[in-house]
Amino acid sequence: EVQLLESGGGLVQPGGSLRVSCAVSGFTFTNYGMSWIRQAPGKGLEWVSRISDSGGSTYYADSVEGRFTISRDNSKNTLWLQMNSLRAEDTAVYFCARRDGYPGYFQHWGQGTLVSVSS
Amino acid sequence: QSVLTQPPSASGTPGQRVTISCSGSRSNIGSNTVDWYQQLPGMAPKLLIHSNDERPSGVPDRFSGSKSGTSASLAISGLRSEDEADYYCAAWDDSLHGYVFGTGTKVTVL
């Protein structure tokens, strides 16, 4: 069974940093690109970042470019999102998701982890 | 800000057919396939349709998708109470190098 489990969310002050993790199981992690997608309270879905299966290619939404870094360790079956210079508008539930097919869609999602940015 | 535009709400009585539209541009829907997601309150999104009109295993055939030019639509036939949820279209955008979601449509079963 494919499983994705996020962790690391919490309350952080504006300007602070936080790293969220996504531990996966039930599939060969090295074969799949991954993405982070977020949802602010009461709002819609927003794609944040993606990383290729090898980790060699990364892309970011304009709203987080230069502040967030996506990475992965295929030996640990883990995906990360390092978030720096956090702003109130980054408050959201952060989901990790596996990219399937081409150009890609998301059939498998984690349950999400809440990141709150507030003083 | 969402790049794909959906109506904020749609509704119908049990058994009716409901259609949700999704309007994009040449760089997203016009160049790539469209996916649809269903999200129940407090839950992660669930993939309903991928590649314009393909249903993943387990998704009832009451759900169908289509695409024409820079627009797409999701149809729910034989509406049921459990279909009450938020629905999002999505597509890759060649200009943004990212995946863009629609504004979302809340479906209410009257």
Side-chain angles (χ1 to χ4, degrees), chain B residues 11-55:
Chain B
S11 62
T13 57
Q16 278 191 327
R17 175 184 172 94
V18 169
T19 301
I20 301 169
S21 62
C22 175
S23 178
S25 65
R26 189 162 52 186
S27 64
N28 41 67
I29 295 179
S31 302
N32 296 293
T33 55
V34 178
D35 310 313
W36 290 90
Y37 299 86
Q38 176 193 61
Q39 188 178 32
L40 299 172
M43 303 290 287
K46 171 188 174 183
L47 179 69
L48 272 186
I49 298 288
H50 70 85
S51 308
N52 299 331
D53 57 9
E54 298 290 328
R55 276 187 312 276

Coordinates of all heavy atoms in Angstrom, one line a residue, chain B residues 11-55:
Chain B
S11 N -24.9 23.2 -7.7 CA -25.8 22.4 -6.9 C -26.8 21.6 -7.7 O -27.0 21.9 -8.9 CB -26.5 23.3 -5.9 OG -27.4 24.2 -6.6
G12 N -27.4 20.6 -7.1 CA -28.3 19.8 -7.8 C -29.0 18.9 -6.8 O -28.6 18.8 -5.7
T13 N -30.1 18.4 -7.2 CA -30.8 17.4 -6.4 C -30.3 16.0 -6.6 O -29.7 15.8 -7.7 CB -32.4 17.5 -6.6 OG1 -32.6 17.2 -8.0 CG2 -32.9 18.9 -6.2
P14 N -30.6 15.1 -5.7 CA -30.1 13.7 -6.0 C -30.6 13.2 -7.3 O -31.8 13.3 -7.7 CB -30.7 13.0 -4.8 CG -30.8 14.0 -3.7 CD -31.1 15.3 -4.4
G15 N -29.7 12.6 -8.0 CA -30.1 12.0 -9.3 C -29.8 12.9 -10.5 O -29.7 12.5 -11.7
Q16 N -29.7 14.2 -10.3 CA -29.4 15.2 -11.3 C -28.0 15.1 -11.8 O -27.1 14.5 -11.2 CB -29.7 16.6 -10.8 CG -31.2 17.0 -10.9 CD -31.4 18.5 -10.6 OE1 -30.7 19.1 -9.9 NE2 -32.4 19.0 -11.3
R17 N -27.8 15.8 -13.0 CA -26.4 15.9 -13.5 C -25.9 17.3 -13.3 O -26.7 18.3 -13.5 CB -26.5 15.7 -15.0 CG -25.2 15.9 -15.8 CD -25.4 15.7 -17.3 NE -24.3 16.0 -18.1 CZ -23.3 15.2 -18.5 NH1 -23.4 13.9 -18.1 NH2 -22.3 15.6 -19.2
V18 N -24.7 17.4 -12.8 CA -24.1 18.7 -12.5 C -22.8 18.8 -13.3 O -22.0 17.8 -13.4 CB -23.7 18.8 -11.0 CG1 -22.8 20.0 -10.8 CG2 -25.0 18.9 -10.2
T19 N -22.5 20.0 -13.9 CA -21.3 20.2 -14.7 C -20.5 21.4 -14.1 O -21.1 22.4 -13.8 CB -21.7 20.5 -16.2 OG1 -22.4 19.4 -16.7 CG2 -20.4 20.7 -17.0
I20 N -19.2 21.2 -14.0 CA -18.3 22.2 -13.5 C -17.4 22.6 -14.6 O -16.7 21.7 -15.2 CB -17.5 21.7 -12.3 CG1 -18.5 21.3 -11.2 CG2 -16.6 22.8 -11.8 CD1 -17.8 20.5 -10.0
S21 N -17.2 23.9 -14.9 CA -16.3 24.3 -16.0 C -15.0 24.8 -15.4 O -14.9 25.1 -14.2 CB -17.0 25.5 -16.7 OG -17.2 26.6 -15.8
C22 N -14.0 24.8 -16.2 CA -12.6 25.2 -15.8 C -12.0 25.9 -17.0 O -11.8 25.3 -18.1 CB -11.8 23.9 -15.5 SG -10.1 24.2 -15.1
S23 N -11.7 27.1 -16.9 CA -11.2 27.9 -18.0 C -9.7 28.3 -17.7 O -9.4 28.8 -16.6 CB -12.0 29.2 -18.1 OG -11.5 30.0 -19.1
G24 N -8.9 28.0 -18.7 CA -7.5 28.3 -18.6 C -7.0 29.1 -19.8 O -7.6 30.0 -20.3
S25 N -5.7 28.8 -20.2 CA -5.1 29.5 -21.3 C -4.3 28.6 -22.1 O -4.2 27.4 -21.8 CB -4.2 30.6 -20.7 OG -3.1 30.1 -20.0
R26 N -3.6 29.1 -23.1 CA -2.8 28.3 -24.0 C -1.7 27.6 -23.4 O -1.3 26.5 -23.7 CB -2.3 29.1 -25.2 CG -1.7 28.4 -26.3 CD -1.6 29.2 -27.6 NE -1.0 30.5 -27.4 CZ -0.9 31.4 -28.3 NH1 -1.4 31.2 -29.5 NH2 -0.3 32.6 -28.1
S27 N -1.1 28.2 -22.3 CA 0.1 27.6 -21.7 C -0.2 26.5 -20.7 O 0.7 25.8 -20.3 CB 0.9 28.7 -20.9 OG 0.1 29.3 -19.9
N28 N -1.5 26.4 -20.3 CA -1.8 25.3 -19.4 C -2.8 24.3 -20.0 O -2.4 23.4 -20.7 CB -2.3 25.8 -18.0 CG -3.3 27.0 -18.1 OD1 -4.4 26.9 -18.7 ND2 -2.8 28.2 -17.7
I29 N -4.1 24.6 -20.0 CA -5.0 23.6 -20.6 C -4.8 23.5 -22.1 O -5.0 22.4 -22.6 CB -6.5 24.1 -20.2 CG1 -6.7 24.0 -18.7 CG2 -7.5 23.2 -21.0 CD1 -8.1 24.4 -18.3
G30 N -4.5 24.6 -22.7 CA -4.3 24.6 -24.2 C -3.1 23.7 -24.6 O -3.0 23.3 -25.8
S31 N -2.2 23.4 -23.7 CA -1.0 22.7 -24.0 C -0.8 21.3 -23.3 O 0.0 20.5 -23.6 CB 0.3 23.5 -23.7 OG 0.3 24.7 -24.4
N32 N -1.6 21.1 -22.2 CA -1.4 20.0 -21.4 C -2.8 19.4 -21.0 O -3.8 20.0 -21.1 CB -0.7 20.3 -20.1 CG 0.8 20.7 -20.4 OD1 1.6 20.0 -20.9 ND2 1.1 22.0 -20.2
T33 N -2.7 18.2 -20.5 CA -4.0 17.5 -20.0 C -4.5 18.1 -18.7 O -3.7 18.7 -18.0 CB -3.7 16.0 -19.9 OG1 -2.6 15.8 -19.0 CG2 -3.4 15.4 -21.2
V34 N -5.7 17.8 -18.5 CA -6.4 18.3 -17.3 C -6.7 17.2 -16.3 O -7.1 16.1 -16.7 CB -7.7 19.1 -17.7 CG1 -8.4 19.6 -16.4 CG2 -7.4 20.2 -18.6
D35 N -6.6 17.5 -15.0 CA -6.9 16.6 -14.0 C -8.0 17.2 -13.1 O -8.1 18.4 -13.0 CB -5.7 16.3 -13.1 CG -4.5 15.9 -14.0 OD1 -4.6 15.0 -14.9 OD2 -3.4 16.4 -13.8
W36 N -8.7 16.4 -12.4 CA -9.8 16.9 -11.5 C -9.6 16.1 -10.1 O -9.4 14.9 -10.1 CB -11.2 16.6 -12.0 CG -11.5 17.4 -13.2 CD1 -11.3 17.1 -14.5 CD2 -12.2 18.7 -13.2 NE1 -11.8 18.1 -15.3 CE2 -12.3 19.1 -14.5 CE3 -12.7 19.5 -12.2 CZ2 -12.9 20.3 -14.9 CZ3 -13.3 20.7 -12.5 CH2 -13.4 21.1 -13.9
Y37 N -9.8 16.9 -9.1 CA -9.7 16.4 -7.7 C -11.0 16.7 -6.9 O -11.6 17.8 -7.1 CB -8.5 17.0 -7.0 CG -7.2 16.7 -7.7 CD1 -6.7 17.5 -8.7 CD2 -6.4 15.6 -7.3 CE1 -5.5 17.2 -9.3 CE2 -5.2 15.3 -7.9 CZ -4.8 16.1 -8.9 OH -3.6 15.8 -9.6
Q38 N -11.3 15.8 -6.0 CA -12.4 16.0 -5.1 C -11.8 16.1 -3.7 O -11.0 15.3 -3.3 CB -13.4 14.8 -5.2 CG -14.5 14.8 -4.2 CD -15.2 13.5 -4.1 OE1 -14.6 12.5 -3.7 NE2 -16.5 13.4 -4.4
Q39 N -12.3 17.1 -2.9 CA -11.8 17.2 -1.6 C -13.0 17.3 -0.6 O -13.8 18.3 -0.7 CB -10.9 18.4 -1.4 CG -10.2 18.5 -0.1 CD -9.2 19.7 0.1 OE1 -9.4 20.7 -0.5 NE2 -8.2 19.5 0.8
L40 N -13.0 16.4 0.3 CA -14.0 16.4 1.4 C -13.4 17.2 2.5 O -12.2 17.3 2.7 CB -14.3 15.0 1.8 CG -15.0 14.1 0.8 CD1 -15.1 12.7 1.3 CD2 -16.3 14.6 0.4
P41 N -14.2 17.8 3.4 CA -13.7 18.7 4.5 C -12.7 17.9 5.4 O -13.0 16.8 5.8 CB -15.0 19.0 5.3 CG -16.1 18.9 4.3 CD -15.7 17.8 3.3
G42 N -11.6 18.6 5.6 CA -10.6 18.0 6.5 C -9.8 16.9 5.9 O -9.0 16.3 6.6
M43 N -9.9 16.6 4.6 CA -9.3 15.5 4.0 C -8.3 15.9 2.9 O -8.4 17.1 2.4 CB -10.3 14.5 3.4 CG -11.3 14.0 4.3 SD -10.6 12.8 5.5 CE -10.3 11.4 4.5
A44 N -7.4 15.1 2.6 CA -6.5 15.3 1.4 C -7.3 15.2 0.1 O -8.3 14.4 0.1 CB -5.4 14.3 1.4
P45 N -7.0 15.9 -0.9 CA -7.7 15.8 -2.2 C -7.6 14.4 -2.7 O -6.6 13.6 -2.5 CB -6.9 16.8 -3.1 CG -6.3 17.7 -2.2 CD -5.9 17.0 -1.0
K46 N -8.6 14.0 -3.5 CA -8.6 12.7 -4.1 C -8.7 12.9 -5.6 O -9.5 13.7 -6.1 CB -9.9 11.9 -3.7 CG -10.2 10.6 -4.4 CD -11.5 10.0 -4.0 CE -11.8 8.8 -4.9 NZ -13.2 8.2 -4.5
L47 N -7.9 12.1 -6.4 CA -7.9 12.2 -7.8 C -9.1 11.6 -8.4 O -9.4 10.4 -8.1 CB -6.6 11.6 -8.4 CG -6.5 11.6 -9.9 CD1 -6.2 13.0 -10.4 CD2 -5.4 10.6 -10.3
L48 N -9.9 12.4 -9.2 CA -11.1 11.9 -9.8 C -10.9 11.5 -11.3 O -11.4 10.5 -11.7 CB -12.2 12.9 -9.7 CG -13.1 13.0 -8.5 CD1 -14.2 14.1 -8.7 CD2 -13.7 11.7 -8.1
I49 N -10.3 12.4 -11.9 CA -10.0 12.3 -13.4 C -8.6 12.8 -13.7 O -8.1 13.8 -13.2 CB -11.0 13.2 -14.2 CG1 -12.5 12.8 -14.0 CG2 -10.7 13.2 -15.7 CD1 -12.9 11.5 -14.6
H50 N -7.9 12.0 -14.5 CA -6.6 12.5 -15.0 C -6.6 12.4 -16.5 O -7.4 11.7 -17.2 CB -5.5 11.7 -14.3 CG -5.4 10.3 -14.8 ND1 -4.7 9.9 -15.9 CD2 -5.8 9.1 -14.2 CE1 -4.8 8.5 -16.0 NE2 -5.5 8.1 -15.0
S51 N -5.6 13.1 -17.1 CA -5.4 13.1 -18.6 C -6.7 13.4 -19.3 O -7.1 12.7 -20.3 CB -4.9 11.7 -19.0 OG -3.7 11.4 -18.2
N52 N -7.4 14.4 -18.9 CA -8.7 14.9 -19.4 C -9.9 14.1 -19.1 O -11.0 14.6 -18.7 CB -8.6 15.1 -21.0 CG -7.5 16.0 -21.4 OD1 -7.2 16.9 -20.7 ND2 -6.9 15.7 -22.6
D53 N -9.8 12.8 -19.3 CA -11.0 12.0 -19.2 C -10.8 10.5 -18.7 O -11.7 9.7 -18.9 CB -11.7 11.9 -20.6 CG -10.7 11.3 -21.7 OD1 -9.6 10.8 -21.3 OD2 -11.1 11.4 -22.9
E54 N -9.7 10.3 -18.1 CA -9.4 9.0 -17.5 C -9.7 8.9 -16.1 O -9.3 9.7 -15.2 CB -7.9 8.7 -17.7 CG -7.4 8.6 -19.2 CD -8.0 7.4 -19.9 OE1 -8.1 6.4 -19.2 OE2 -8.2 7.5 -21.1
R55 N -10.5 7.8 -15.7 CA -10.9 7.6 -14.3 C -9.9 6.6 -13.7 O -9.8 5.5 -14.2 CB -12.3 7.1 -14.2 CG -13.4 8.1 -14.2 CD -14.7 7.5 -13.9 NE -14.9 6.3 -14.7 CZ -15.4 6.3 -16.0 NH1 -15.7 7.4 -16.5 NH2 -15.5 5.1 -16.6

